[in-house]
Amino acid sequence: MAYLLVCSLFLAVGVFAADPELVSDYAADPTATNASFFTFTAFHGDVTAAPGTFMVRKASLVEFPGLTGLGVSMAQLFFQPSSVNPPHIHPRASELLYVLEGSLAVGLVDTTNKLFVQKLGTGDAFVFPKGLVHFQFNEGQYAAKAISAFGSSNAGTVSIPATIFGSGIDDQVLSKAFKVGIDTIQTLKAAFAVKS
């Protein structure tokens, strides 16, 4: 009996950790909906990122309300040479990255602190499991483009460097955690300070 109770609790937690389940075909009034509700046009045209930078265009719940309750989203990624999508996590979704053009070095760190790194070329794909720290880096001399698909309409992104050094965590806490001087922490914080 206790076993069944524990299993029921785990199932309930799993339900709350996912996108809300739809009770209709889609999250809109069918009488007031047309094909535009299901169409996203913000991926038109190429983006030219500044030298050494990374840029992303998202099609998630915020940008595309038609995704409500569907459990999917995507993003276009643009990498100039020597640019990086810094270590980050998606707390609500796994990510499937597909390289459209160029090459990328990708990596993820699992919960045992094991690093997995792979070099990807045009046409290659790589999966990043939900909640694991991962990154992409264009170590080549040409621009690279990729597309990512997510198993949530709102995957969320937590950038590790920006979160740690740009969130206002006390200098002493970070100094002790990283075993470096407060001057080093302040230098890192200055790099992530929000410019007004």
Side-chain angles (χ1 to χ4, degrees):
M1 182 67 171
Y3 174 76
L4 290 176
L5 178 62
V6 171
C7 288
S8 298
L9 289 174
F10 280 116
L11 288 173
V13 170
V15 169
F16 291 116
D19 284 350
E21 188 69 31
L22 287 176
V23 294
S24 60
D25 292 341
Y26 47 88
D29 176 6
T31 62
T33 302
N34 60 31
S36 294
F37 177 77
F38 302 100
T39 306
F40 184 76
T41 60
F43 283 168
H44 287 280
D46 275 343
V47 170
T48 303
T53 63
F54 156 78
M55 289 184 62
V56 62
R57 290 195 296 196
K58 296 179 182 179
S60 67
L61 190 58
V62 171
E63 300 82 14
F64 189 10
L67 297 176
T68 301
L70 301 181
V72 296
S73 60
M74 63 189 310
Q76 285 182 320
L77 310 169
F78 302 89
F79 297 84
Q80 287 292 346
S82 299
S83 66
V84 65
N85 185 359
H88 62 281
I89 64 167
H90 302 291
R92 294 180 291 275
S94 294
E95 173 183 0
L96 179 61
L97 177 122
Y98 177 78
V99 180
L100 295 169
E101 185 178 305
S103 63
L104 293 171
V106 301
L108 69 89
V109 180
D110 73 9
T111 58
T112 67
N113 212 28
K114 183 175 180 181
L115 174 65
F116 298 85
V117 178
Q118 184 67 43
K119 182 153 183 159
L120 304 177
T122 300
D124 290 339
F126 194 86
V127 66
F128 304 102
K130 177 169 63 173
L132 294 186
V133 174
H134 61 280
F135 63 89
Q136 299 99 29
F137 176 52
N138 181 357
E139 58 190 2
Q141 57 183 337
Y142 303 104
K145 296 177 189 175
I147 194 151
S148 286
F150 300 94
S152 170
S153 58
N154 188 16
T157 301
V158 179
S159 171
I160 305 302
T163 299
I164 291 172
F165 298 109
S167 64
I169 297 173
D170 185 82
D171 290 355
Q172 287 190 23
V173 171
L174 293 176
S175 175
K176 290 182 183 298
F178 286 96
K179 298 176 179 29
V180 297
I182 288 181
D183 56 332
T184 301
I185 296 299
Q186 291 173 343
T187 299
L188 289 166
K189 279 187 163 186
F192 291 96
V194 178
K195 298 179 177 45
S196 23

